[in-house]
């Protein structure tokens, strides 16, 4: 596995990967990891400009984002982890973390490696104090991973989403990095 930062040059490949990744959401034995309907909706075109501009911002500036891509030896994107600044003022000391692993690479330690990388990167930033994440409450493998990495559950919003007529809670977790 190779880990590389997302650049403007790779954004289209990343968006294709995200479309494929989201197609697994809640399908078969796969847990819901995003509050979209089963068989997924494609990654929203309206979110693409924000990613493109955010990766060009200096870390710590408003709207900054960092994405790292895990790629195979043949340059296929097999996972990602991201940190995104909150849009609200006075939240510069916290970031929102996201992570995903392509279907054929789940359960092999890639998610843990991506999370550990993001945690280490955040700890190297003198302005960051907290990593926050949200997870669909029924996604037990993700909850277990996050707990094992030291994330603490802050709350669960019951019935936060209704997908295909079924209710799902949303759990907020946090990790102090300073």
């Amino acid at each position: 596995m190779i880990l590389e930062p997302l650049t403007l040059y790779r954004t289209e490949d990343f968006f294709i990967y995200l479309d494929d990744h989201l197609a697994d959401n809640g399908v078969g034995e796969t847990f819901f990891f995003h509050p979209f309907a089963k068989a997924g909706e494609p990654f929203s075109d309206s979110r693409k400009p924000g990613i493109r501009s955010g990766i060009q911002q200096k870390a710590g500036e408003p709207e900054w984002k960092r994405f790292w891509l895990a790629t195979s030896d043949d340059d296929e994107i097999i996972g990602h982890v991201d940190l995104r600044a909150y849009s609200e003022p006075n939240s510069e000391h916290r970031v929102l973390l996201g992570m995903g692993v392509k279907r054929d690479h789940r359960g092999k330690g890639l998610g843990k490696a991506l999370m550990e990388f993001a945690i280490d990167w955040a700890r190297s930033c003198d302005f960051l104090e907290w990593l926050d994440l949200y997870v669909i409450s029924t996604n037990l493998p993700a909850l277990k991973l996050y707990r094992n990495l030291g994330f603490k559950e802050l709350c669960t919003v019951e019935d936060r989403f209704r997908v295909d007529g079924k209710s799902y809670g949303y759990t907020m977790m946090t990790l102090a990095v300073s």
Side-chain angles (χ1 to χ4, degrees), residues 3-178:
L3 198 58
E4 64 184 62
L6 176 64
T7 62
L8 287 176
Y9 172 75
R10 290 295 306 258
T11 54
E12 285 308 314
D13 293 338
F14 179 60
F15 299 145
I16 292 168
Y17 152 82
L18 282 178
D19 281 344
D20 181 61
H21 178 62
L22 290 171
D24 286 346
N25 188 36
V27 175
E29 299 298 314
T30 303
F31 287 89
F32 271 100
F33 50 81
H34 209 286
F36 291 145
K38 287 183 182 176
E41 298 172 5
F43 186 70
S44 170
D45 285 340
S46 66
R47 295 180 63 196
K48 293 176 182 181
I51 290 176
R52 287 188 186 103
S53 72
I55 63 174
Q56 296 179 77
Q57 299 295 326
K58 181 181 175 188
E61 290 181 356
E63 306 295 323
W64 72 271
K65 295 172 178 54
R66 290 296 176 272
F67 289 77
W68 293 274
L69 309 177
T71 59
S72 63
D73 292 337
D74 62 354
D75 205 35
E76 173 191 15
I77 299 172
I78 58 174
H80 78 282
V81 66
D82 61 84
L83 299 175
R84 302 177 310 277
Y86 282 100
S87 59
E88 299 86 10
N90 304 313
S91 296
E92 297 83 8
H93 60 293
R94 304 185 84 96
V95 291
L96 188 58
L97 183 146
M99 188 265 301
V101 174
K102 195 167 182 173
R103 71 185 64 81
D104 297 340
H105 299 274
R106 294 181 190 136
K108 299 177 182 177
L110 179 56
K112 181 180 179 189
L114 289 166
M115 294 290 293
E116 288 173 339
F117 175 85
I119 292 166
D120 289 344
W121 189 90
R123 286 188 170 135
S124 75
C125 294
D126 59 359
F127 63 93
L128 288 180
E129 297 179 30
W130 297 94
L131 294 180
D132 299 331
L133 61 82
Y134 293 86
V135 58
I136 302 289
S137 301
T138 56
N139 190 340
L140 302 180
L143 284 165
K144 181 180 177 184
L145 171 64
Y146 304 147
R147 287 177 187 133
N148 287 342
L149 290 169
F151 281 82
K152 304 293 182 214
E153 292 180 35
L154 298 178
C155 69
T156 296
V157 178
E158 298 298 330
D159 197 24
R160 174 65 175 88
F161 302 105
R162 291 188 181 171
V163 179
D164 296 336
K166 186 173 178 188
S167 171
Y168 292 90
Y170 216 29
T171 300
M172 181 183 187
M173 302 180 82
T174 194
L175 176 71
V177 293
S178 65

